[in-house]
Amino acid sequence: MSTLEIAQFKHISAIHNRDFNGLPISSTSTAVNLTGSWKFFRPKMAEKGSPCQSACPLRIPIAGYLRQLAEQNPAAALETLREINPLPAVTGRVCPHFCEAACNRLEFDEAVKIGDLERWLGDFGLDRPHRFAPAPETDLKVAVVGAGPAGLAAAVFLARRGVAVEIFERGQEAGGLLASAIPAYRLPRDILRNELDNLLSSYPAITLHCDRNIDPGELTALAKEFAAIILATGLPESIIPAAWQDNPRVIGALKLLATINRGMEIEGDRFTVVGGGNAALDAARSLLRRGKKVEIVYRRTLAEMPAYEEEKEQARAEGITIHQETVVGGLENRGENLQLTLCRAQKENGGIVAGEVLRREDCDILVVAIGQQAADGYLQAKLPETILRAGDFAHGAATVAEALASGRKAAAQVWSRLNDCPVPSETGEPLGIADFTRVHPDYFHPRPAVRPNLLPARERRAGFAEIRTGLSPAETCREAERCFSCGTCTTCGICWFFCPEVAIAIAPDAGSDNGKVLFDYDHCKGCGQCAAICPRGVIEMEEDL
Amino acid sequence: MNNMPDIPRFHGNSNWQAIAAELMEPGHMGCPGCGASLSMRHALKVLGPKTIVVMPACCWAIIAGGQPTTALDVPLLHTPFAVAAAVAGGVRQALAAQGENETTVLTWAGDGGTFDIGLQGISGAAERQEDIIYVCYDNEAYMNTGIQQSSATPPGAWTTTTPTGKDFRYAKKDILAIIKAHNPAYLASATIAYPDDFYAKFEKAKTARGFRFLHVLAACPSGWKIASQDALKVTRMAVDSGVFPLVEMAADGNLVQTVKPAKRIPVADYLKAQGRFSKITAEEIEIWQENVDKVWMTPEKINQKNG
Amino acid sequence: MQQEAILLGSEAVAHGVRLCRPEVISAYPITPQTHIIETLSEMVDDGELTSRFIKVESEMSAIAAVLGAVSAGSRSFTASSSQGLAMMHELLHWYAGARLPLVLVNANRALGAPWNIWSDQSDSFSQRDTGWLQIYCETSQEALDTIIIAYRASELLMLPIMVMIDGFILSHTMERLLVPDQEMVDDFLPPYQAPYKLDPDKPLTFGAAAQPDLFYELKKTMSATMLEAGPLLKECERSFAAIFDRAYEPVIHCPEGDEKADTALICCGATTGTAREAVKRLRQENIAIDLFKMRLLRPFPQTELIAALEGKKRIIILNRALSYGVGGTLSQELRAALYNLDRRPVINDVIISLGGREVFPETIMDIVKRRKELSPTASNWL
């Protein structure tokens, strides 16, 4: 019997005066039975990355900030987001959001509208300075060439480490292609300006020099002044076939977009845009908004167009004609006009050449949007190896998110080089991904995603007003609640609820991630239901022999 | 709290605390993944500390722990197999005689003690409108004695006394119809795999007065030949396939469905998820599916069947 | 105050129960117990008795309901007979093992097959191993008194007590008796204060499975309590006598008997009355016979019995219950009890009646007269 004594009854009436041991009465908790010895497997907390985070070039901990949003704590959510992404109001609008395509909810009902949530949070932060843990000041000075997203990101992440950064921007303002190439209806000017102003004023360690072109030849001198140089000069020039380069009626899409973005007049009425990327669509749709007649010529099918689906759809809704599988076989200046020879695209030796002539057509200006390249001088420049590259200039044309990630990475590399230490990991690669096979949404109910409004096509054509409307705070909260928080314990307590052994405790404030859920291994029998039901795919069973 | 699944009163920490108190102890003798253990844990959370449990021979007679231990933090009276309903009636009448009308008297019995050996006593207690809640946690066989068939065992199911599967001519006894015929104060089917429904029904049972009966499907991993981690999933499938509809008696005395599963799944999926149905034939599955289809989800049809 | 009354045996029982103020009564009708529960039902309906009467659907539920009620701390009552008592069998074991008090009145009746509603003691004798105290009554007055004594003893012991009356012979027969008033009974029998019960404020579990070693210990304790029950019951009987002026003992020597006689008759229950008449008449014929009544069967009053039978050379036991293949059940009990005596008397096992077969004084006189012809080993049938 050892320590397990039957409770003594002190309330026995006096007449009994008897020893009540030996009665069929129990009052000792079964907790004295260490049923944990029955188990062969035991649960453990194994937090993972979410598919959305994994798909994000920046590896933003999306589940984390969505949860804070759902908890109606946007200030905390903003900090979580900005810790990784210094330009959320921008990326919330222009990033194609690979995260949404990877969202587990896609297999359940529909993806969480992460982009719209990021945008809302970015706008929420426009008048809120960046907050970051202060780093000890250093006497290090780093030069960044180019104030596009990559350059800015590099500057921000260095500044956060106490490094003084000087950015040299050849244009009149910061932003790079964000300012010069992305139309206002996708990224309103005031939003961009506020975002950048807020960023720059948040980091006194960053000094921006505009209208300051750095020629490759100057780099050697610059290297003496600065501890390191990061080149983030981007790919600001449209590629124009050699035969058309000298034609005054041919213009690169980026140059055209920059002109429009600066609010300057565009000559000509009829425009033909060659190309199928976002720049082509941006150019065409901007021209449309300036009241021009515009059509697109693309050498492959609509489905093969690399521009974002949403953009394609909007362009078609706005009434832009896209000639598929068509190439400009030739062009001829005829007086005021430019006559284009449009030919059927024909595949040949893995490439596409002009086939039979379809028709000839007149236009005023031909806009070329078939690719981008580095600025003059940087095209063939041989750069010292000590100079780091970042952004499009380093990796080729890519998304803003990729440019930001590249800038951040360059900052980390510079830091490691200057301090002779390993490259610091800012977003530790997760041990695993909580993909749809690992999450258990059994106790979620399907709930449709928010549907942000789009301006009607007719209104869109009338000007550069932003097409997509933002979410209301209530919508934001509701949509953020849809996130499964794949891979991250939210202390939702489902494991606790469904444990038949009363062997799980939830300790939301226990601190460490693994401390949020506590398993009582003395009593857990290893049934595995907690792992089988964990909605986030966090709990795993491991052998326990 | 965000993205909380639909677990009762989980929406917010403060409410979560409302069901945080445990009236069941760890270290009980239930098998890993036991649905009956989990059901008890939550039943007591709803009913609260002012509950007296009366329990005949059943798995729980063992789960509750041997002397000197007990798994419950409420009074518990073990009784012989056939008499739990009558004992509970006696407990309640004694409390009433002492002027105590708040304490809930809960009979917690398995399917053997309910569908079979205890049925007469239940009928008596129901007729007398004994003011008790009778819960049958149905794991569909005599699991405690080593998985022998009961009249709650579904046709086709393997047990140690139906080695080739229970004869398909013998349907599972319709306990709800039997109890309904006694005009109980409350009557419902439930399972903890549908927690909101489970909680709502136990709350209704708690507040009603008179004889109240809850038929709770409780997975038995050993007896159903399923992996312990699948117990909840398989129980949900029982509901989602229509094999175990979640119903309750409405004010007009008719049974109405309380949960319409988002996606109805074929009966075959439910059966194939369990080793105990491994010998069931395609024809039998078809018959089962047809039977389920006949009553599926229209309360009128359930009533026809039961009424 | 004690009021004189002429009552049926069943009514006397009902009044005994009424005076003990049970909070819960549960019973199922069976001849010849029915008058008891009919009378109690009337008392409840008249408001004379405030008990809750649970009219159950079987004897099994009747004993189950009082098991629940007493577990919850209420004094309770049930009554049965014959088949009904047999149906309770499982619960009789459980009840005693649960260490709860109760008074159950059994109107003794034969067990089928074939059907027979008349009196013998095979129903209660076959329950003698269930852990209940058993008291057999000769008269309705004794039955009424014994119920009051039994509640007192049962609640002190935390063991149940079965009080027997002979079906029809007692239950359906009018008798002049004294019914004490409530105040007297209240003085003797305080309200039941359960030393342990189902109480949400002090949650305990009752009857959880016990492993072999613990089970053994529990039963050892229960057995020891049963052995203490004899002296305790005697104590209760003494204090009852002091208040009510009626004395009872485990083994009662009948004054009709001749103490000096070397032959003694042993009876149990209402047959004693007939035996008293027989012994009186035998004395007129100059046949000296002593007479004892076994009032208590469990716990078995071994000491009292040995003292009572001191010096007897022959014991004639009038059995009304049979253990097939052995003989009269009461005889077996006595044989075992007297085995350790240095000078053991001859024991004549007589099966005097089964299934209500009439026992006249002459029946008993005839047996006594033929005593030397009776087998000392085999059962003697009429």
Side-chain angles (χ1 to χ4, degrees), chain C residues 30 81-87 108-127 324 355:
Chain C
I30 181 170
S81 192
S82 176
Q83 312 286 143
L85 190 69
M87 193 185 191
N108 279 123
R109 168 186 151 179
L111 279 161
W115 282 118
N116 177 300
I117 58 169
W118 292 281
S119 185
D120 75 24
Q121 293 171 331
S122 48
D123 54 354
S124 56
F125 267 64
S126 57
Q127 304 298 346
Y324 300 94

Side-chain angles (χ1 to χ4, degrees), chain B residues 4-112:
Chain B
M4 284 306 121
D6 291 351
I7 294 286
R9 290 180 280 189
F10 257 51
H11 302 272
N13 269 331
S14 56
N15 288 335
W16 185 34
Q17 295 306 318
I19 59 164
E22 300 287 354
L23 291 170
M24 193 174 105
E25 297 284 318
H28 62 70
M29 293 289 115
C31 303
C34 173
S37 305
L38 185 61
S39 305
M40 171 68 95
R41 182 174 165 229
H42 289 290
L44 287 182
K45 280 178 187 288
V46 183
L47 300 178
K50 277 193 110 48
T51 301
I52 290 173
V53 181
V54 175
M55 190 184 281
C58 58
C59 285
W60 248 101
I62 298 305
I63 296 170
Q67 192 174 336
T69 68
T70 180
L72 299 189
D73 299 323
V74 295
L76 165 59
L77 179 61
H78 289 273
T79 81
F81 213 164
V83 295
V87 172
V91 171
R92 196 71 207 74
Q93 296 269 10
L95 295 177
Q98 296 163 21
E100 210 292 6
N101 293 309
E102 280 176 32
T103 299
T104 301
V105 177
L106 168 70
T107 304
W108 189 265
D111 48 296

Side-chain angles (χ1 to χ4, degrees), chain A residues 23-24 26 28-31 33 38 67 70 442-443 445 481 483 485 492 496-497 499-501 506 525 527 529 536, chain B residues 2-6 10 16 19 24-30 33 41-42 67-70 193 228-229 232 236:
Chain A
L23 289 165
S26 310
T28 304
S29 166
T30 46
N33 304 321
W38 300 8
R67 181 142 181 266
D442 311 68
Y443 287 96
H445 285 268
E481 277 176 0
C483 173
S485 290
C492 72
W496 167 82
F497 188 92
C499 174
E501 306 304 329
I506 307 293
K525 294 168 188 161
C527 74
Q529 288 192 97
R536 337 284 170 198
Chain B
N2 77 317
N3 57 29
M4 284 306 121
D6 291 351
F10 257 51
W16 185 34
I19 59 164
M24 193 174 105
E25 297 284 318
H28 62 70
M29 293 289 115
R41 182 174 165 229
H42 289 290
Q67 192 174 336
T69 68
T70 180
S228 58
Q229 68 265 26
L232 275 170
R236 275 198 310 275

Side-chain angles (χ1 to χ4, degrees), chain A residues 257-487:
Chain A
L257 284 165
T259 311
I260 293 175
N261 276 3
R262 255 181 257 129
M264 290 155 66
E265 281 305 311
I266 302 289
E267 279 183 29
D269 292 317
R270 296 168 301 166
F271 287 75
T272 297
V273 179
V274 181
N278 287 320
L281 289 182
D282 287 347
R285 295 172 69 194
S286 295
L287 287 166
L288 189 74
R289 281 159 173 75
R290 282 285 180 94
K292 312 292 186 188
K293 201 169 171 298
V294 60
E295 57 184 39
I296 295 174
V297 171
Y298 179 53
R299 56 186 185 153
R300 297 180 196 270
T301 62
L302 196 62
E304 290 169 289
M305 273 179 89
Y308 305 149
E309 288 304 320
E310 196 184 8
E311 303 285 322
K312 288 191 239 176
E313 203 172 302
Q314 288 177 7
R316 292 208 310 173
E318 287 162 14
I320 292 173
T321 308
I322 299 174
H323 300 289
Q324 305 177 64
E325 298 182 276
T326 305
V327 296
V328 178
L331 54 88
E332 201 178 324
N333 286 311
R334 289 196 167 188
E336 295 290 301
N337 291 338
L338 193 59
Q339 190 185 61
L340 307 179
T341 307
L342 299 179
C343 304
R344 183 180 302 286
Q346 191 175 314
K347 287 182 182 153
E348 198 176 287
N349 301 330
I352 291 177
V353 296
E356 71 176 284
V357 174
L358 294 170
R359 63 184 179 281
R360 295 183 208 284
E361 222 173 66
D362 286 352
C363 72
D364 297 333
I365 304 284
L366 179 70
V367 182
V368 183
I370 57 173
Q372 294 166 247
Q373 60 189 1
D376 283 350
Y378 283 97
L379 256 180
Q380 281 89 29
K382 285 205 171 151
L383 300 169
E385 278 180 13
T386 50
I387 292 176
L388 275 162
R389 303 167 181 226
D392 287 358
F393 181 58
H395 311 292
T399 62
V400 175
E402 285 162 302
L404 292 170
S406 170
R408 188 183 60 190
K409 192 174 166 197
Q413 284 170 333
V414 163
W415 178 256
S416 117
R417 194 178 294 172
L418 297 181
N419 290 281
D420 198 20
C421 66
V423 178
S425 159
E426 290 184 30
T427 56
E429 284 294 315
L431 296 172
I433 304 295
D435 60 24
F436 196 70
T437 62
R438 292 196 185 181
V439 298
H440 306 102
D442 311 68
Y443 287 96
F444 288 98
H445 285 268
R447 177 138 60 103
V450 288
R451 307 247 174 273
N453 290 321
L454 298 184
L455 274 187
R458 192 179 310 154
E459 284 177 43
R460 298 204 300 250
R461 293 170 57 160
F464 283 82
E466 186 165 22
I467 289 175
R468 199 176 173 90
T469 57
L471 304 179
S472 71
E475 282 174 322
T476 307
C477 193
R478 271 208 308 282
E479 183 62 13
E481 277 176 0
R482 292 183 66 247
C483 173
F484 283 167
S485 290
C486 307

Side-chain angles (χ1 to χ4, degrees), chain B residues 190-230:
Chain B
T191 161
I192 193 58
Y194 274 89
D196 283 321
D197 188 63
F198 182 95
Y199 267 67
K201 284 170 175 171
F202 269 83
E203 263 160 20
K204 281 186 193 171
K206 188 185 178 183
T207 48
R209 281 290 163 270
F211 187 79
R212 297 148 273 167
F213 187 95
L214 285 156
H215 181 203
V216 173
L217 184 68
C220 172
S222 343
W224 294 8
K225 293 191 172 181
I226 56 175
S228 58
Q229 68 265 26
D230 292 338

